[in-house]
Amino acid sequence: PATGPSAPPARDADDVISIFSDAYTDITGTNFNPNWGQSGNSTANISYDPGDGNTLLAYPNFNYQGIDFATNAQDASNMEYLHLDVKTPGDPATFILKVTPINNGTGVAELLLPITYTTGTWSSVDIPIGDFTGMTWDSVFQLKFDGGNGTTAIYLDNIYFWKPGSEADASLSDLQVDSATISGFAPVVTSYSYELAVGASTPQITAATTTNLFATTSITQATSIPGDATVVVTASDGSTTRAY
């Protein structure tokens, strides 16, 4: 590939356990090419640069592949999804990619599940923990990819466990008009009345502080009295909004 996949959304550190991604802080002590006897062991490139500065994992001659972080096993039991981005010239009808976390805590140790992808393009995949029937993810120490034919390459990026969190939070923690918090403010209250003395100037929203650090705001000021002012908050997932 000449480029990497689209960057994942901004997430709070408590909502993600990153194994390999330029977007988040990865866990330490990871071996991205342990020798498990796989056909592509000698040709793997764990720092493949497609030319856009986004490092990828490249596994030519893929039949199966492991990622090992046994020295830093992760309790991912409160996470809800395993995410990965994959690109391959393989045909999903015959090139059946599969993945599983490997757990050495409680529950089922591993369960390979198919990865849904489209040939020749980056596919963004999120697999719910519930699909890995019986797994707890309470001590994940390895990942395994399987289903290759020993000749076709796969490229991987943004491998992480995550849960929905503040990225879907489009609330305000403070709303100020003329440098004072509006009377009765609460994050769940979206409509307010602001009374003025006769002859007063048109008030202005001077602060709209988001609860989600990565959320953005769009403020439309009132232009006359009476009038309306609005704040539209867009959460860092890029789609959740709330209007005050």
mmCIF file of all heavy atoms in Angstrom, residues 77-109:
data_model
loop_
_atom_site.group_PDB
_atom_site.id
_atom_site.type_symbol
_atom_site.label_atom_id
_atom_site.label_comp_id
_atom_site.label_asym_id
_atom_site.label_seq_id
_atom_site.Cartn_x
_atom_site.Cartn_y
_atom_site.Cartn_z
ATOM 1 N N SER A 77 -10.744 -6.916 30.170
ATOM 2 C CA SER A 77 -12.089 -7.423 30.445
ATOM 3 C C SER A 77 -13.149 -6.342 30.427
ATOM 4 O O SER A 77 -14.335 -6.636 30.265
ATOM 5 C CB SER A 77 -12.110 -8.149 31.793
ATOM 6 O OG SER A 77 -11.691 -7.292 32.847
ATOM 7 N N ASN A 78 -12.753 -5.070 30.599
ATOM 8 C CA ASN A 78 -13.747 -3.995 30.537
ATOM 9 C C ASN A 78 -13.837 -3.362 29.158
ATOM 10 O O ASN A 78 -14.590 -2.407 28.950
ATOM 11 C CB ASN A 78 -13.449 -2.926 31.586
ATOM 12 C CG ASN A 78 -12.166 -2.161 31.294
ATOM 13 O OD1 ASN A 78 -11.276 -2.692 30.620
ATOM 14 N ND2 ASN A 78 -12.048 -0.952 31.800
ATOM 15 N N MET A 79 -13.067 -3.884 28.197
ATOM 16 C CA MET A 79 -13.163 -3.415 26.818
ATOM 17 C C MET A 79 -14.269 -4.181 26.092
ATOM 18 O O MET A 79 -14.638 -5.289 26.487
ATOM 19 C CB MET A 79 -11.825 -3.594 26.104
ATOM 20 C CG MET A 79 -10.698 -2.798 26.727
ATOM 21 S SD MET A 79 -10.947 -1.010 26.549
ATOM 22 C CE MET A 79 -9.997 -0.389 27.954
ATOM 23 N N GLU A 80 -14.795 -3.588 25.027
ATOM 24 C CA GLU A 80 -15.944 -4.180 24.346
ATOM 25 C C GLU A 80 -15.653 -4.638 22.917
ATOM 26 O O GLU A 80 -16.430 -5.411 22.358
ATOM 27 C CB GLU A 80 -17.111 -3.184 24.348
ATOM 28 C CG GLU A 80 -17.593 -2.832 25.747
ATOM 29 C CD GLU A 80 -18.779 -1.893 25.736
ATOM 30 O OE1 GLU A 80 -19.508 -1.854 24.711
ATOM 31 O OE2 GLU A 80 -18.985 -1.186 26.732
ATOM 32 N N TYR A 81 -14.560 -4.167 22.329
ATOM 33 C CA TYR A 81 -14.275 -4.499 20.935
ATOM 34 C C TYR A 81 -12.782 -4.732 20.735
ATOM 35 O O TYR A 81 -11.939 -4.143 21.425
ATOM 36 C CB TYR A 81 -14.698 -3.365 19.982
ATOM 37 C CG TYR A 81 -16.170 -3.049 19.985
ATOM 38 C CD1 TYR A 81 -16.681 -2.094 20.856
ATOM 39 C CD2 TYR A 81 -17.045 -3.701 19.117
ATOM 40 C CE1 TYR A 81 -18.038 -1.797 20.863
ATOM 41 C CE2 TYR A 81 -18.398 -3.405 19.113
ATOM 42 C CZ TYR A 81 -18.888 -2.459 19.989
ATOM 43 O OH TYR A 81 -20.222 -2.168 20.000
ATOM 44 N N LEU A 82 -12.466 -5.582 19.757
ATOM 45 C CA LEU A 82 -11.126 -5.665 19.185
ATOM 46 C C LEU A 82 -11.186 -4.978 17.833
ATOM 47 O O LEU A 82 -11.999 -5.349 16.978
ATOM 48 C CB LEU A 82 -10.687 -7.118 19.022
ATOM 49 C CG LEU A 82 -9.391 -7.331 18.215
ATOM 50 C CD1 LEU A 82 -8.195 -6.708 18.925
ATOM 51 C CD2 LEU A 82 -9.157 -8.819 17.958
ATOM 52 N N HIS A 83 -10.320 -3.992 17.633
ATOM 53 C CA HIS A 83 -10.278 -3.253 16.363
ATOM 54 C C HIS A 83 -8.988 -3.564 15.622
ATOM 55 O O HIS A 83 -7.926 -3.733 16.219
ATOM 56 C CB HIS A 83 -10.343 -1.740 16.607
ATOM 57 C CG HIS A 83 -10.227 -0.949 15.337
ATOM 58 N ND1 HIS A 83 -11.320 -0.548 14.608
ATOM 59 C CD2 HIS A 83 -9.134 -0.519 14.652
ATOM 60 C CE1 HIS A 83 -10.916 0.108 13.528
ATOM 61 N NE2 HIS A 83 -9.596 0.132 13.524
ATOM 62 N N LEU A 84 -9.093 -3.604 14.291
ATOM 63 C CA LEU A 84 -7.903 -3.666 13.453
ATOM 64 C C LEU A 84 -8.249 -3.131 12.072
ATOM 65 O O LEU A 84 -9.409 -3.150 11.642
ATOM 66 C CB LEU A 84 -7.363 -5.095 13.350
ATOM 67 C CG LEU A 84 -8.294 -6.170 12.775
ATOM 68 C CD1 LEU A 84 -8.077 -6.349 11.276
ATOM 69 C CD2 LEU A 84 -8.071 -7.487 13.491
ATOM 70 N N ASP A 85 -7.228 -2.617 11.398
ATOM 71 C CA ASP A 85 -7.341 -2.232 9.991
ATOM 72 C C ASP A 85 -6.486 -3.195 9.182
ATOM 73 O O ASP A 85 -5.334 -3.471 9.540
ATOM 74 C CB ASP A 85 -6.866 -0.800 9.769
ATOM 75 C CG ASP A 85 -7.798 0.224 10.400
ATOM 76 O OD1 ASP A 85 -9.010 0.149 10.144
ATOM 77 O OD2 ASP A 85 -7.311 1.083 11.159
ATOM 78 N N VAL A 86 -7.029 -3.700 8.089
ATOM 79 C CA VAL A 86 -6.317 -4.694 7.290
ATOM 80 C C VAL A 86 -6.435 -4.363 5.805
ATOM 81 O O VAL A 86 -7.466 -3.866 5.341
ATOM 82 C CB VAL A 86 -6.861 -6.123 7.569
ATOM 83 C CG1 VAL A 86 -8.329 -6.238 7.197
ATOM 84 C CG2 VAL A 86 -6.031 -7.177 6.842
ATOM 85 N N LYS A 87 -5.353 -4.644 5.069
ATOM 86 C CA LYS A 87 -5.369 -4.519 3.615
ATOM 87 C C LYS A 87 -4.616 -5.708 3.028
ATOM 88 O O LYS A 87 -3.538 -6.073 3.502
ATOM 89 C CB LYS A 87 -4.710 -3.213 3.163
ATOM 90 C CG LYS A 87 -4.831 -2.966 1.656
ATOM 91 C CD LYS A 87 -4.307 -1.582 1.283
ATOM 92 C CE LYS A 87 -4.542 -1.298 -0.196
ATOM 93 N NZ LYS A 87 -4.086 0.058 -0.588
ATOM 94 N N THR A 88 -5.213 -6.329 2.013
ATOM 95 C CA THR A 88 -4.607 -7.492 1.372
ATOM 96 C C THR A 88 -5.146 -7.631 -0.044
ATOM 97 O O THR A 88 -6.294 -7.263 -0.316
ATOM 98 C CB THR A 88 -4.911 -8.786 2.173
ATOM 99 O OG1 THR A 88 -4.390 -9.912 1.454
ATOM 100 C CG2 THR A 88 -6.393 -8.984 2.380
ATOM 101 N N PRO A 89 -4.344 -8.159 -0.957
ATOM 102 C CA PRO A 89 -4.849 -8.465 -2.291
ATOM 103 C C PRO A 89 -5.640 -9.769 -2.324
ATOM 104 O O PRO A 89 -6.124 -10.178 -3.379
ATOM 105 C CB PRO A 89 -3.573 -8.577 -3.134
ATOM 106 C CG PRO A 89 -2.535 -9.036 -2.171
ATOM 107 C CD PRO A 89 -2.882 -8.382 -0.858
ATOM 108 N N GLY A 90 -5.761 -10.434 -1.196
ATOM 109 C CA GLY A 90 -6.474 -11.708 -1.146
ATOM 110 C C GLY A 90 -7.948 -11.573 -1.468
ATOM 111 O O GLY A 90 -8.549 -10.505 -1.336
ATOM 112 N N ASP A 91 -8.546 -12.671 -1.902
ATOM 113 C CA ASP A 91 -9.968 -12.746 -2.206
ATOM 114 C C ASP A 91 -10.684 -13.313 -0.985
ATOM 115 O O ASP A 91 -10.417 -14.438 -0.569
ATOM 116 C CB ASP A 91 -10.186 -13.662 -3.412
ATOM 117 C CG ASP A 91 -11.653 -13.795 -3.808
ATOM 118 O OD1 ASP A 91 -12.528 -13.326 -3.050
ATOM 119 O OD2 ASP A 91 -11.921 -14.390 -4.867
ATOM 120 N N PRO A 92 -11.608 -12.555 -0.377
ATOM 121 C CA PRO A 92 -12.261 -13.034 0.849
ATOM 122 C C PRO A 92 -13.063 -14.312 0.655
ATOM 123 O O PRO A 92 -13.397 -14.979 1.634
ATOM 124 C CB PRO A 92 -13.160 -11.862 1.259
ATOM 125 C CG PRO A 92 -13.329 -11.033 0.036
ATOM 126 C CD PRO A 92 -12.056 -11.192 -0.739
ATOM 127 N N ALA A 93 -13.357 -14.663 -0.590
ATOM 128 C CA ALA A 93 -14.084 -15.907 -0.840
ATOM 129 C C ALA A 93 -13.204 -17.128 -0.608
ATOM 130 O O ALA A 93 -13.692 -18.212 -0.261
ATOM 131 C CB ALA A 93 -14.634 -15.922 -2.259
ATOM 132 N N THR A 94 -11.892 -16.954 -0.801
ATOM 133 C CA THR A 94 -10.976 -18.091 -0.668
ATOM 134 C C THR A 94 -9.859 -17.839 0.338
ATOM 135 O O THR A 94 -9.236 -18.786 0.824
ATOM 136 C CB THR A 94 -10.343 -18.427 -2.024
ATOM 137 O OG1 THR A 94 -9.697 -17.248 -2.555
ATOM 138 C CG2 THR A 94 -11.405 -18.892 -3.014
ATOM 139 N N PHE A 95 -9.588 -16.581 0.618
ATOM 140 C CA PHE A 95 -8.514 -16.195 1.539
ATOM 141 C C PHE A 95 -9.193 -15.783 2.841
ATOM 142 O O PHE A 95 -9.539 -14.631 3.049
ATOM 143 C CB PHE A 95 -7.717 -15.034 0.919
ATOM 144 C CG PHE A 95 -6.419 -14.713 1.611
ATOM 145 C CD1 PHE A 95 -5.332 -15.555 1.500
ATOM 146 C CD2 PHE A 95 -6.282 -13.535 2.335
ATOM 147 C CE1 PHE A 95 -4.119 -15.231 2.114
ATOM 148 C CE2 PHE A 95 -5.080 -13.210 2.945
ATOM 149 C CZ PHE A 95 -4.001 -14.060 2.837
ATOM 150 N N ILE A 96 -9.424 -16.737 3.719
ATOM 151 C CA ILE A 96 -10.275 -16.530 4.895
ATOM 152 C C ILE A 96 -9.413 -16.101 6.078
ATOM 153 O O ILE A 96 -8.854 -16.927 6.810
ATOM 154 C CB ILE A 96 -11.055 -17.815 5.256
ATOM 155 C CG1 ILE A 96 -11.711 -18.406 4.009
ATOM 156 C CG2 ILE A 96 -12.075 -17.518 6.338
ATOM 157 C CD1 ILE A 96 -12.716 -17.496 3.344
ATOM 158 N N LEU A 97 -9.300 -14.791 6.262
ATOM 159 C CA LEU A 97 -8.527 -14.266 7.384
ATOM 160 C C LEU A 97 -9.294 -14.460 8.684
ATOM 161 O O LEU A 97 -10.515 -14.243 8.749
ATOM 162 C CB LEU A 97 -8.238 -12.783 7.186
ATOM 163 C CG LEU A 97 -7.287 -12.391 6.057
ATOM 164 C CD1 LEU A 97 -7.144 -10.884 6.001
ATOM 165 C CD2 LEU A 97 -5.935 -13.053 6.239
ATOM 166 N N LYS A 98 -8.559 -14.810 9.740
ATOM 167 C CA LYS A 98 -9.159 -14.983 11.059
ATOM 168 C C LYS A 98 -8.248 -14.366 12.110
ATOM 169 O O LYS A 98 -7.045 -14.204 11.896
ATOM 170 C CB LYS A 98 -9.373 -16.471 11.370
ATOM 171 C CG LYS A 98 -10.328 -17.175 10.428
ATOM 172 C CD LYS A 98 -10.486 -18.637 10.798
ATOM 173 C CE LYS A 98 -11.440 -19.361 9.854
ATOM 174 N NZ LYS A 98 -11.602 -20.787 10.222
ATOM 175 N N VAL A 99 -8.838 -14.035 13.263
ATOM 176 C CA VAL A 99 -8.068 -13.443 14.350
ATOM 177 C C VAL A 99 -8.626 -13.909 15.681
ATOM 178 O O VAL A 99 -9.829 -14.190 15.797
ATOM 179 C CB VAL A 99 -8.093 -11.893 14.269
ATOM 180 C CG1 VAL A 99 -9.513 -11.346 14.489
ATOM 181 C CG2 VAL A 99 -7.124 -11.269 15.272
ATOM 182 N N THR A 100 -7.764 -13.985 16.671
ATOM 183 C CA THR A 100 -8.205 -14.222 18.044
ATOM 184 C C THR A 100 -7.209 -13.611 19.017
ATOM 185 O O THR A 100 -5.994 -13.688 18.799
ATOM 186 C CB THR A 100 -8.354 -15.723 18.357
ATOM 187 O OG1 THR A 100 -8.836 -15.868 19.716
ATOM 188 C CG2 THR A 100 -7.059 -16.473 18.219
ATOM 189 N N PRO A 101 -7.694 -12.975 20.076
ATOM 190 C CA PRO A 101 -6.816 -12.744 21.222
ATOM 191 C C PRO A 101 -6.549 -14.096 21.878
ATOM 192 O O PRO A 101 -7.343 -15.033 21.762
ATOM 193 C CB PRO A 101 -7.641 -11.839 22.138
ATOM 194 C CG PRO A 101 -8.784 -11.344 21.291
ATOM 195 C CD PRO A 101 -9.033 -12.414 20.272
ATOM 196 N N ILE A 102 -5.427 -14.217 22.565
ATOM 197 C CA ILE A 102 -5.117 -15.422 23.332
ATOM 198 C C ILE A 102 -5.011 -15.029 24.801
ATOM 199 O O ILE A 102 -4.247 -14.119 25.153
ATOM 200 C CB ILE A 102 -3.826 -16.091 22.833
ATOM 201 C CG1 ILE A 102 -3.967 -16.452 21.342
ATOM 202 C CG2 ILE A 102 -3.528 -17.343 23.650
ATOM 203 C CD1 ILE A 102 -2.713 -17.085 20.751
ATOM 204 N N ASN A 103 -5.808 -15.679 25.627
ATOM 205 C CA ASN A 103 -5.963 -15.318 27.035
ATOM 206 C C ASN A 103 -5.435 -16.441 27.917
ATOM 207 O O ASN A 103 -5.708 -17.620 27.672
ATOM 208 C CB ASN A 103 -7.452 -15.089 27.333
ATOM 209 C CG ASN A 103 -7.687 -14.279 28.581
ATOM 210 O OD1 ASN A 103 -7.425 -13.080 28.572
ATOM 211 N ND2 ASN A 103 -8.186 -14.897 29.629
ATOM 212 N N ASN A 104 -4.672 -16.091 28.947
ATOM 213 C CA ASN A 104 -4.202 -17.115 29.877
ATOM 214 C C ASN A 104 -4.777 -16.913 31.280
ATOM 215 O O ASN A 104 -4.215 -17.371 32.267
ATOM 216 C CB ASN A 104 -2.663 -17.172 29.927
ATOM 217 C CG ASN A 104 -2.032 -15.894 30.436
ATOM 218 O OD1 ASN A 104 -2.729 -14.934 30.792
ATOM 219 N ND2 ASN A 104 -0.713 -15.850 30.472
ATOM 220 N N GLY A 105 -5.934 -16.216 31.336
ATOM 221 C CA GLY A 105 -6.631 -16.028 32.590
ATOM 222 C C GLY A 105 -7.796 -16.996 32.694
ATOM 223 O O GLY A 105 -7.626 -18.209 32.576
ATOM 224 N N THR A 106 -8.994 -16.460 32.884
ATOM 225 C CA THR A 106 -10.178 -17.307 32.990
ATOM 226 C C THR A 106 -10.893 -17.402 31.649
ATOM 227 O O THR A 106 -10.667 -16.601 30.743
ATOM 228 C CB THR A 106 -11.150 -16.745 34.044
ATOM 229 O OG1 THR A 106 -11.606 -15.445 33.615
ATOM 230 C CG2 THR A 106 -10.474 -16.614 35.397
ATOM 231 N N GLY A 107 -11.768 -18.393 31.522
ATOM 232 C CA GLY A 107 -12.572 -18.536 30.318
ATOM 233 C C GLY A 107 -11.833 -19.212 29.189
ATOM 234 O O GLY A 107 -10.735 -19.756 29.345
ATOM 235 N N VAL A 108 -12.448 -19.141 28.006
ATOM 236 C CA VAL A 108 -11.875 -19.751 26.802
ATOM 237 C C VAL A 108 -10.556 -19.062 26.457
ATOM 238 O O VAL A 108 -10.460 -17.834 26.483
ATOM 239 C CB VAL A 108 -12.870 -19.648 25.636
ATOM 240 C CG1 VAL A 108 -12.260 -20.130 24.336
ATOM 241 C CG2 VAL A 108 -14.147 -20.426 25.956
ATOM 242 N N ALA A 109 -9.545 -19.855 26.110
ATOM 243 C CA ALA A 109 -8.222 -19.298 25.838
ATOM 244 C C ALA A 109 -8.159 -18.575 24.496
ATOM 245 O O ALA A 109 -7.562 -17.498 24.386
ATOM 246 C CB ALA A 109 -7.169 -20.398 25.886
#
